[in-house]
Amino acid sequence: MIFENLKPEIENIISNKIKSVNERLLNVCELLEKNVSYYDWVGFYFRNGNKEELILGPYVGAPTDHTVIPFGKGICGQVAVSNQNFVVPDVTAQDNYIACSITVKAEIVIPIFVNGKNIGQIDIDSNTPDPFTEEDERFLEFVCDKAAILFL
């Protein structure tokens, strides 16, 4: 599967100390969006200091107005509170979904933990209905574990 082939590339991006943290995170987004056909928007959100909100980090895909998301609002805000993966096969079935684009059909959000604390998340939107599998979850957990290294 493509995910196994991408793992060493993720590790190479993360370990490249010549680039800034944001550059490396952007490179991860670019790699995922380019290589996984149904990853149409890939980005990171991070906790804004001690505030109960997320701020948009590096991303690729259509521009978004959602640069600040309060905890509890939308899928990302719910993950910030629950500390759990959230896979949404059909965004229209979610009451608390924040629409970024009418083309988005599904979303997956995986938290990033540093020393047991949720510091942010990777957020992926797909224009394909119900594309995400357990393989996506496990792979994105791997990506988040590697991204966490940047914040140790």
Side-chain angles (χ1 to χ4, degrees):
M1 181 70 195
I2 191 162
F3 296 140
E4 287 307 310
N5 297 334
L6 291 176
K7 284 181 176 182
E9 293 188 56
I10 296 289
E11 290 175 320
N12 288 338
I13 290 169
I14 296 298
S15 64
N16 182 349
K17 292 184 170 48
I18 295 169
K19 293 187 175 184
S20 71
V21 167
N22 277 350
E23 287 173 318
R24 289 183 265 176
L25 291 172
L26 179 61
N27 291 157
V28 167
C29 293
E30 291 167 339
L31 179 75
L32 297 181
E33 190 269 342
K34 178 181 172 206
N35 288 283
V36 185
S37 63
Y38 51 93
Y39 286 12
D40 297 299
W41 191 97
V42 179
F44 289 93
Y45 281 93
F46 293 98
R47 184 182 185 120
N48 188 6
N50 290 326
K51 295 181 182 175
E52 297 282 300
E53 65 185 20
L54 298 165
I55 53 171
L56 180 61
Y59 73 94
V60 294
T64 179
D65 293 333
H66 304 113
T67 57
V68 178
I69 298 176
F71 279 22
K73 185 149 175 63
I75 307 307
C76 290
Q78 290 177 73
V79 169
V81 173
S82 73
N83 298 319
Q84 302 288 318
N85 297 352
F86 202 149
V87 181
V88 182
D90 176 6
V91 295
T92 62
Q94 283 295 318
D95 292 341
N96 194 9
Y97 174 69
I98 302 172
C100 294
S101 165
I102 59 167
T103 61
V104 174
K105 304 287 187 255
E107 182 174 12
I108 186 170
V109 180
I110 308 292
I112 301 168
F113 295 99
V114 174
N115 298 323
K117 185 177 177 188
N118 183 344
I119 62 140
Q121 53 204 228
I122 192 167
D123 177 21
I124 299 177
D125 292 342
S126 180
N127 299 338
T128 304
D130 195 12
F132 304 116
T133 66
E134 192 169 316
E135 273 190 292
D136 290 276
E137 273 194 87
R138 299 297 81 82
F139 172 67
L140 293 171
E141 287 169 350
F142 169 86
V143 171
C144 288
D145 287 347
K146 296 302 172 189
I149 294 166
L150 300 172
F151 300 94
L152 291 174

